[in-house]
């Protein structure tokens, strides 16, 4: 087989290779139910190229080896993390994206896809109420979206090189914020953690008093990060109150909605996010619940000019743009990047408003059902309004909870349920993420009884 498709004739070998690979992928998906979420063991192909290139047959066999050893997000018991099965249309979007091999770095390398990304970001901004100056940029994951938001906030505050710069987030906020602080050259203490209340939500009066104290010490705050959907229990920080505080103090509000902001796409669930439209920037990860193939994250900003004023360096090797638009590579940290918004766009088009709402509402329904089935006389259950839930035996100390969580996770795996084992406060929990559309209420009934039997 020629390694590149002819630009003149239909490449029948590529055509049949794609056909067979697609068939294998569909078989793999169809097989997922009879397997478990993770394989017991796996074999790896050799990594170094042979002297002569392999035949299509050999390539497909090697691919099969990798597929056999892969995690299976489609399995109904795959409930450990925020990794749902991929939407069918987004698989196709990813394939076409690879075939087009456009580059979001520069407009001339992705003429229509750059516009598609702009329009799609704008649509998300409108859904979340960010106003008429808003816009955004796609990023390879929420960690990067959060980092870019914080770099931008610090830049706008004029504190780029100020070692007294600090920012705030709750105790339950995501580890990507600590990572961002490291990348930004900030001391560990520059991320000020604010206690959460019994619902796992940032305590606004603590925020206010810690802020005053730091201010009196000469520290300068450049951002508050509110989390919409915390990673362990899916809590949403009080966005209205935090927005009010930020407005009063003139501080950038970033909403880390990697998990929760997607709920803004349905009118019913958007009520959970009241106040999000007052944010200066929002991270949203359609990869985490809607099933857009990884990676799919957007950084949305209320004033899109701040993206270019922070990240633009000029792009002297690409044709300059007319008007107010900037090349994709001038809107964020990444240079060359794929047209990730293609699979997001086609996934949303496939679902329609009805399909999107169904995914959001059913994920919450599954969480409510599992919550109602877990014996609360035995377990402390922590959850929020979304599709995450975690639990640990009542009255266990830290080491007892460690032993129980380890043993129970392993025994659940033998029944093909995969839960994760976060540490929260001083205890270990088991966590279920109910975003897998293949999980039925019957599956959850079985899961709940296994959970309830895990202690006497
Ligand atoms: C997952 C997550 C992130 C990071 O997103 P990645 O795509 O994994 O980089 C950030 N914040 C929250 C709340 C998350 O749950």
């Amino acid at each position: 087989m020629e390694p590149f498709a002819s630009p003149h004739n239909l490449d029948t070998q590529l055509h049949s290779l794609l056909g067979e690979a697609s068939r294998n992928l569909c078989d793999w998906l169809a097989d997922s139910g009879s397997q478990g979420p993770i394989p017991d063991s796996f074999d790896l192909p050799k990594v170094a190229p042979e002297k002569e290139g392999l035949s299509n047959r050999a390539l497909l066999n090697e691919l099969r080896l990798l597929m056999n050893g892969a995690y299976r997000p489609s399995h109904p018991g795959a409930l450990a993390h925020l990794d749902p099965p991929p939407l069918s249309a987004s698989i196709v979007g990813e394939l076409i994206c690879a075939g087009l091999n456009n580059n979001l770095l520069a407009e001339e390398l992705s003429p229509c896809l750059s516009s598609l990304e702009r329009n799609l970001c704008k649509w998300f901004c409108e859904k979340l109420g960010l106003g008429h100056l808003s816009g955004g940029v796609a990023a390879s994951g929420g960690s990067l979206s959060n980092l870019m938001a914080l770099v931008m906030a610090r830049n706008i505050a004029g504190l780029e090189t100020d070692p007294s710069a600090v920012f705030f987030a709750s105790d339950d906020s995501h580890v990507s914020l600590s990572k961002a602080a490291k990348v930004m050259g900030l001391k560990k203490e520059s991320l000020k953690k604010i206690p959460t209340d019994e619902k796992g939500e940032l305590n606004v009066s603590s925020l206010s008093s810690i802020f005053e104290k730091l201010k009196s010490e000469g520290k300068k705050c450049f951002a508050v990060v509110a989390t919409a959907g915390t990673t362990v229990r899916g809590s949403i920080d009080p966005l209205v109150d935090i927005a009010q505080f930020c407005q009063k103090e003139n501080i950038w509000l970033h909403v880390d909605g990697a998990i929760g902001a997607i709920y803004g796409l349905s009118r019913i669930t958007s009520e959970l996010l009241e106040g999000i439209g007052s944010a200066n920037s929002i991270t949203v990860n359609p990869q985490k619940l809607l099933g857009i193939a990884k990676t799919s994250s957007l950084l949305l900003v209320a004033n899109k000019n701040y993206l270019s004023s922070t990240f633009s360096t000029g792009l002297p090797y690409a044709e300059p743009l007319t008007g107010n638009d900037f090349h994709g590579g001038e809107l964020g940290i990444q240079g060359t990047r794929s047209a990730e918004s293609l699979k997001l766009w086609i996934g949303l088009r496939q679902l329609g408003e009805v399909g999107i709402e169904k995914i959001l509402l059913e994920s919450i329904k599954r969480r409510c059902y599992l919550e109602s089935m877990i014996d609360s006389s035995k377990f402390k259950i922590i959850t929020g309004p979304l599709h995450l839930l975690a639990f640990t035996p009542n009255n266990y100390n830290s080491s007892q909870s460690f032993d129980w969580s380890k043993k129970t996770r392993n025994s659940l795996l033998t029944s093909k349920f995969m839960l994760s084992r976060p540490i929260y406060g001083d205890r270990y929990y088991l966590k279920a993420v109910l975003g897998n559309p293949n999980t039925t209420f019957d599956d959850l009934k079985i899961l709940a009884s296994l959970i309830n039997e895990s202690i006497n």
Side-chain angles (χ1 to χ4, degrees):
M1 174 181 174
E2 290 299 324
F4 296 96
S6 159
H8 304 296
N9 305 304
L10 177 74
D11 188 323
T12 52
Q13 292 226 43
L14 173 61
H15 190 222
S16 75
L17 181 60
L18 285 175
E20 276 197 70
S22 310
R23 175 62 208 231
N24 291 351
L25 180 63
C26 293
D27 284 341
W28 181 82
L29 290 167
D31 222 22
S32 288
S34 66
Q35 307 286 323
I38 35 177
D40 297 328
S41 64
F42 54 83
D43 297 317
L44 281 177
K46 275 202 280 185
V47 293
E50 306 290 342
K51 181 120 177 69
E52 299 293 335
L54 299 188
S55 67
N56 287 356
R57 176 78 21 237
L59 292 177
L60 289 168
N61 285 340
E62 295 206 340
L63 268 178
R64 182 83 80 173
L65 215 53
L66 287 182
M67 292 162 82
N68 287 342
Y71 171 67
R72 292 177 180 271
S74 300
H75 188 279
L79 299 169
H81 298 287
L82 294 137
D83 290 69
L87 272 177
S88 299
S90 93
I91 300 174
V92 176
E94 186 76 324
L95 173 70
I96 300 298
C97 183
L100 299 179
N101 206 20
N102 277 212
N103 188 344
L104 266 283
L105 170 69
E107 200 86 9
E108 66 200 64
L109 293 171
S110 49
C112 65
L113 293 169
S114 292
S115 296
L116 185 80
E117 178 176 299
R118 269 196 287 275
N119 294 352
L120 195 57
C121 286
K122 184 76 191 167
W123 180 79
F124 267 88
C125 287
E126 279 165 15
K127 280 282 173 186
L128 294 174
L130 282 185
H132 66 286
L133 296 175
S134 60
V137 65
S140 294
S143 301
L144 189 55
S145 296
N146 282 344
L147 171 62
M148 295 196 297
L150 289 168
V151 169
M152 187 168 39
R154 185 173 66 170
N155 196 62
I156 300 303
L159 298 174
E160 298 95 306
T161 56
D162 193 329
S164 65
V166 296
F167 67 107
F168 299 91
S170 90
D171 277 337
D172 286 10
S173 62
H174 192 259
V175 291
S176 57
L177 303 179
S178 308
K179 203 189 274 180
K182 287 187 200 198
V183 176
M184 293 165 74
L186 293 170
K187 289 206 192 92
K188 198 161 173 269
E189 310 82 73
S190 307
L191 167 50
K192 298 291 175 190
K193 291 287 189 74
I194 309 296
T196 50
D197 61 17
E198 72 287 349
K199 282 157 57 190
E201 300 172 7
L202 182 146
N203 188 317
V204 184
S205 58
S206 302
L207 170 66
S208 180
S209 55
I210 294 173
F211 173 78
E212 289 304 329
K213 177 165 173 290
L214 289 168
K215 203 159 82 170
S216 71
E217 293 167 4
K219 302 281 191 213
K220 291 171 199 141
C221 174
F222 65 88
V224 175
V225 180
T227 307
T230 56
T231 310
V232 174
R233 57 194 288 185
S235 298
I236 299 176
D237 287 341
L239 302 178
V240 172
D241 294 346
I242 298 173
Q244 229 163 41
F245 172 82
C246 288
Q247 256 150 26
K248 181 165 70 89
E249 302 295 345
N250 194 25
I251 304 173
W252 187 281
L253 171 58
H254 175 64
V255 175
D256 180 1
I259 296 174
I262 202 76
Y263 284 92
L265 297 191
S266 143
R267 195 182 38 78
I268 302 172
T269 49
S270 67
E271 288 176 11
L272 298 168
L273 299 171
E274 192 192 345
I276 199 168
S278 309
N280 297 95
S281 54
I282 301 170
T283 292
V284 56
N285 273 20
Q287 70 195 19
K288 282 196 167 173
L289 177 56
L290 279 190
I292 307 301
K294 283 179 270 291
T295 51
S296 180
S297 176
L298 303 176
L299 173 61
L300 308 173
V301 287
N303 185 337
K304 72 173 185 199
N305 294 331
Y306 290 156
L307 282 174
S308 49
S309 67
T310 302
F311 295 109
S312 142
T313 52
L315 205 57
Y317 21 77
E319 281 301 306
L321 296 184
T322 52
N324 281 332
D325 289 328
F326 282 80
H327 289 295
E330 298 201 82
L331 297 174
I333 291 174
Q334 288 173 278
T336 291
R337 59 191 171 86
S338 73
E340 291 180 15
S341 45
L342 198 163
K343 63 198 168 194
L344 173 56
W345 161 77
I346 199 170
L348 294 170
R349 299 286 290 173
Q350 180 187 32
L351 289 171
E353 289 178 4
V354 172
I356 294 168
E357 188 159 88
K358 184 160 179 262
I359 290 180
L360 301 175
L361 290 178
E362 291 194 345
S363 65
I364 295 177
K365 267 193 213 147
R366 283 189 295 271
R367 188 265 301 159
C368 291
Y369 182 75
L370 182 61
E371 188 180 357
S372 73
M373 298 295 285
I374 295 177
D375 185 347
S376 61
S377 71
K378 289 183 172 178
F379 295 95
K380 175 182 160 77
I381 302 172
I382 55 172
T383 183
L386 306 182
H387 63 296
L388 292 84
L389 134 77
F391 54 92
T392 191
N394 283 323
N395 310 321
Y396 272 23
N397 65 27
S398 182
S399 85
Q400 287 170 313
S401 71
F402 176 85
D403 295 341
W404 163 82
S405 66
K406 210 165 160 120
K407 190 177 109 241
T408 309
R409 174 174 144 112
N410 286 333
S411 74
L412 288 175
L413 272 174
T414 61
S415 303
K416 298 183 179 178
F417 287 106
M418 181 178 171
L419 269 53
S420 56
R421 214 160 58 81
I423 184 165
Y424 185 78
D426 57 356
R427 285 195 278 172
Y428 283 83
Y429 284 70
L430 284 178
K431 168 176 130 181
V433 181
L434 285 310
N436 184 341
N438 298 328
T439 312
T440 63
F441 286 110
D442 284 343
D443 293 326
L444 294 177
K445 204 167 176 176
I446 297 170
L447 173 61
S449 64
L450 293 169
I451 291 167
N452 292 334
E453 287 159 14
S454 72
I455 52 173
N456 307 320

